[in-house]
Amino acid sequence: MSLVADPVRVASGPRRRHRRGGRVLGWAVLLVAALYFLVPVAASVEFSLRGKGDTHDLSTWSALFEQPGFAENMPTSLELAVGTVLITLLLMVPTTAWVHLRLPRLRRLVESICVLPLVIPAVVLANGVLVAFKGFPNWITGTPVILALEYVVLALPFTFRTLDSGLAAIPLTTLVEAARNLGASWPHVLLRVVVPNLRTAILNAAILSAAMVLGEFTIANLLLLNTLPVWTVQAGQQDAQVATAASMLILLVSWALLMLMSVFGQRGARRTRRSR
Amino acid sequence: MTLSTATETATGSPVRLSGLRRTYGAVTALDGLDLEIAPGELVSLLGPSGCGKTTALRIVAGLEHADSGAVLVDGKEITRVPANKRGMSMVFQSYSLFPNLTAGENVAFGLRLRGVSPAARRKRAAELLELVALDNHANRYAHELSGGQQQRVALARALAIEPRVLLLDEPLSALDAKVRVQLRDEIRGLQRRLGITTLCVTHDQEEALSMSDRVAVMNAGRLEQCASPDVVYTRPATAFVAAFVGAMNRVEGAVGPAGDVVEIAGQRLRLARPIGNTPGALVTALIRPESVRLTPAVDGTAKVLRSSFRGPVTRVTVLLGDGTELDSDLPSSAAVDLRPGELAEVGFVDEPVMTV
């Protein structure tokens, strides 16, 4: 038996036990976190499936789609999510890239401005938007369009932080200079260099913004506009089971949307690589 | 017609920098830089950090703007022309390959912007990758290539658009020594073959001297000397060039009676520029280590202080009778008898010396 082998074995024993202990702790934390999120969801699903007596059925869910107002508000919320994501990205991708390229000293200032919605109460934001858009045509102020603009402001903190991290992770300046040098105009630089190399960050920003819009209630309610969350709260005052089913539906739609975005994002990335 | 036959006859564009000036706050990066580059010529901007060489290159590329002065290509002023419309291409120190594209797609990037058809740009990318000996790597991404390979792809990408002027921004400094020498020779070979006017920025003297038609030595935003590598090395125009390019001994000596020689270690050395009627005046002579000869001698006047083996040459440092230290680069085979503590006789190659 080798003399050298013993100390190694002695040393590796506690280390392996320590590693195993760490792994067990990790799984325990994950389990607790999963339970924290899943138990309320499971309880809500169970509640929404309760039928007459002690039975469970889909009667509440099937009735949900026939509830007055549901068919109008569901597409509104989805359109708001899509609109908010598009406006936010169109505004923030070039802005954040430009700050990184040309105004790096202003990065902190822009970041501070972008996180303001986190500390400004919703009622202030809602009233502020109404004051700011006073005198604008009714198709903006009297429709969900104003809500989309409001949600763009609310999405700024997630969007800026996500895009900022993505830009910091790539050698943006030299890539842009290389592209400019090879003949790329600024729109080309944005579409062919910045966006493809920022795909994951853009996808994350879109997912966060969409999830935020689909669950937002306060500002829509303050602006007296009907969205699915507003409708859900109103429906809950008459039938708690319908409201719970609607909440679960919003959650499912959010998840489905996020999954779709993720799949399309990955496919798009592959297609981008193949086509060039 | 293949790429190589198409481009072997190509001639580059003449470039002229006229009175370029650029300041950053209180710092003057360029202080009236004038430089002319002939068609197909490779000129290297050489100088210490902060001398303005990179600023000059970036102004030529259109990535920076000069406060005053002009950049002319083919006799036309392009000072205000945006970078993407200058028809130049640049190879960066950090390679700067687009990470989302393969090597082939990187090379074809500039062609795509010019509306070249997919089939034509694929063909041309393949030709250029073959030119830089990477034809088997067209489908690899940047992270799958070594540093040298990435820089070759960057060079192929720069050449793909058939630039009027090729700009090289310290293209070899991120590579290890062996790859650097190999790629240096490859770049020079390609540049000669394609006849592209090239402006290179480097702080590596060996790189500048070995690959350039002319070397432009810069200091504090100004051009000190622009001449062929051998002239810059053997006949430096200024004391700065003499001190900056290569190693140099600075030895104090007395001017001879006619003012055209200086006395060092008991020997009279001809002055490159006679000083005039100032016999006995003390001047500092600049003497290259390879111009100093040492011969082992028991009654020698110089004492060997140390020797440093550098492969084919050995640098031997001796102490003269007046306390002056003098470096000498000798063939290593001739330096074996010159160990620390030994005595030696000092001699000089018969060539004019500069003074400061």
Side-chain angles (χ1 to χ4, degrees):
Chain A
M1 192 172 67
S2 163
L3 287 172
V4 182
D6 282 335
V8 173
R9 227 173 272 160
V10 168
S12 68
R15 208 178 299 144
R16 205 180 300 147
R17 271 197 298 277
H18 181 72
R19 218 180 295 141
R20 201 180 301 145
R23 213 178 297 145
V24 169
L25 185 69
W27 278 108
V29 170
L30 191 67
L31 186 69
V32 170
L35 288 174
Y36 184 81
F37 286 109
L38 291 177
V39 166
V41 172
S44 299
V45 170
E46 190 275 331
F47 178 66
S48 71
L49 292 173
R50 274 185 207 170
K52 285 174 185 166
D54 287 339
T55 59
H56 286 86
D57 56 36
L58 289 170
S59 56
T60 307
W61 281 79
S62 53
L64 173 66
F65 295 95
E66 288 155 17
Q67 295 286 330
F70 177 85
E72 292 82 37
N73 291 314
M74 180 75 182
T76 304
S77 280
L78 290 175
E79 284 164 16
L80 272 173
V82 172
T84 304
V85 166
L86 286 177
I87 298 171
T88 307
L89 292 179
L90 282 172
L91 179 74
M92 289 307 289
V93 172
T95 306
T96 320
W98 195 253
V99 167
H100 269 255
L101 277 172
R102 293 292 163 96
L103 307 166
R105 284 183 189 169
L106 294 184
R107 203 182 71 83
R108 288 280 165 219
L109 178 69
V110 175
E111 185 181 16
S112 305
I113 293 169
C114 285
V115 298
L116 277 179
L118 291 178
V119 294
I120 296 176
V123 66
V124 176
L125 280 173
N127 284 327
V129 165
L130 283 177
V131 171
F133 282 86
K134 199 176 176 184
F136 275 65
N138 193 49
W139 67 268
I140 295 177
T141 54
T143 66
V145 171
I146 196 164
L147 206 48
L149 298 175
E150 184 88 58
Y151 288 162
V152 168
V153 175
L154 285 183
L156 285 180
F158 325 115
T159 315
F160 180 80
R161 286 275 173 88
T162 314
L163 295 177
D164 185 55
S165 307
L167 286 166
I170 58 171
L172 183 70
T173 306
T174 49
L175 291 181
V176 168
E177 287 182 349
R180 290 282 293 159
N181 215 248
L182 290 165
S185 61
W186 284 113
H188 272 131
V189 167
L190 195 67
L191 292 173
R192 301 239 166 100
V193 177
V194 176
V195 170
N197 286 297
L198 213 56
R199 186 173 291 275
T200 309
I202 289 173
L203 187 68
N204 290 339
I207 286 170
L208 290 170
S209 303
M212 184 274 294
V213 172
L214 288 174
E216 205 285 325
F217 162 76
T218 317
I219 290 179
N221 196 41
L222 285 167
L223 293 177
L224 304 174
L225 290 164
N226 282 326
T227 60
L228 196 56
V230 172
W231 178 86
T232 303
V233 171
Q234 287 167 354
Q237 288 163 1
Q238 290 165 6
D239 188 338
Q241 255 185 305
V242 168
T244 309
S247 303
M248 289 302 99
L249 185 68
I250 292 172
L251 197 63
L252 281 173
V253 170
S254 301
W255 281 353
L257 199 63
L258 305 188
M259 294 298 290
L260 275 175
M261 281 179 172
S262 176
V263 169
F264 278 130
Q266 284 168 5
R267 275 191 195 163
R270 279 197 295 271
R271 195 164 49 241
T272 305
R273 280 199 290 270
R274 273 201 302 271
S275 70
R276 293 193 181 175
Chain B
M1 188 160 60
T2 66
L3 169 85
S4 43
T5 53
T7 47
E8 264 168 12
T9 53
T11 52
S13 300
V15 177
R16 192 171 147 224
L17 314 185
S18 174
L20 286 184
R21 190 176 161 75
R22 179 75 164 106
T23 55
Y24 298 97
V27 179
T28 302
L30 285 179
D31 190 10
L33 176 69
D34 294 303
L35 180 67
E36 287 199 32
I37 310 171
E41 190 181 27
L42 194 159
V43 172
S44 288
L45 296 177
L46 177 68
S49 296
C51 72
K53 55 188 188 296
T54 300
T55 305
L57 188 85
R58 290 175 63 80
I59 287 173
V60 175
L63 301 173
E64 298 252 356
H65 292 296
D67 297 332
S68 60
V71 179
L72 293 96
V73 176
D74 280 327
K76 290 179 188 158
E77 185 172 344
I78 58 157
T79 318
R80 301 287 162 208
V81 175
N84 62 321
K85 291 186 176 157
R86 293 198 175 194
M88 300 181 181
S89 55
M90 190 155 165
V91 177
F92 295 83
Q93 179 182 352
S94 53
Y95 323 135
S96 298
L97 295 185
F98 304 118
N100 57 314
L101 304 182
T102 62
E105 291 161 350
N106 262 284
V107 175
F109 184 88
L111 301 173
R112 191 181 184 200
L113 295 171
R114 283 159 178 78
V116 178
S117 70
R121 63 178 188 250
R122 264 197 300 275
K123 183 170 176 280
R124 187 154 170 79
E127 287 171 354
L128 278 152
L129 284 172
E130 192 182 344
L131 200 67
V132 294
L134 284 176
D135 38 332
N136 294 326
H137 296 66
N139 294 320
R140 293 202 186 167
Y141 288 93
H143 69 272
E144 297 170 323
L145 300 169
S146 69
Q149 288 170 335
Q150 286 189 56
Q151 200 58 303
R152 281 200 188 94
V153 174
L155 182 64
R157 182 178 68 178
L159 295 173
I161 63 166
E162 296 185 4
R164 293 196 292 171
V165 181
L166 178 65
L167 305 169
L168 307 173
D169 183 11
E170 308 217 18
L172 308 173
S173 52
L175 303 172
D176 62 60
K178 199 169 178 181
V179 178
R180 196 184 311 158
V181 172
Q182 189 188 347
L183 195 52
R184 182 178 78 195
D185 295 342
E186 284 178 26
I187 289 175
R188 179 56 166 156
L190 275 173
Q191 186 270 334
R192 272 194 172 138
R193 192 170 147 194
L194 304 178
I196 299 176
T197 306
T198 304
L199 182 61
C200 176
V201 158
T202 180
H203 64 269
D204 184 328
Q205 298 178 18
E206 190 186 329
E207 194 176 301
L209 296 173
S210 62
M211 69 189 282
S212 315
D213 291 309
R214 283 187 301 148
V215 176
V217 184
M218 290 182 67
N219 179 34
R222 288 184 159 275
L223 194 62
E224 293 273 336
Q225 183 178 16
C226 184
S228 62
D230 62 311
V231 170
V232 167
Y233 191 80
T234 57
R235 280 178 281 150
T238 65
F240 173 83
V241 177
F244 183 76
V245 180
M248 193 67 87
N249 287 296
R250 297 167 76 91
V251 191
E252 206 168 67
V255 177
D260 59 350
V261 294
V262 59
E263 198 167 299
I264 307 273
Q267 296 177 49
R268 289 186 167 181
L269 310 180
R270 278 185 299 125
L271 289 172
R273 292 190 195 90
I275 291 173
N277 192 19
T278 53
L282 287 177
V283 292
T284 302
L286 302 171
I287 305 168
R288 296 227 178 260
E290 61 268 28
S291 299
V292 179
R293 290 171 177 163
L294 297 176
T295 316
V298 287
D299 56 347
T301 54
K303 185 180 177 185
V304 176
L305 287 177
R306 55 188 171 269
S307 73
S308 164
F309 178 72
R310 298 179 180 190
V313 297
T314 295
R315 177 160 294 177
V316 180
T317 305
V318 294
L319 185 68
L320 302 180
D322 60 359
T324 305
E325 286 189 15
L326 198 63
D327 287 335
S328 170
D329 283 348
L330 302 171
S332 290
S333 57
V336 286
D337 294 329
L338 292 164
R339 287 181 286 271
E342 304 273 355
L343 294 177
E345 212 44 75
V346 178
F348 297 96
V349 173
D350 182 23
E351 62 187 13
V353 298
M354 286 195 64
T355 56
V356 287

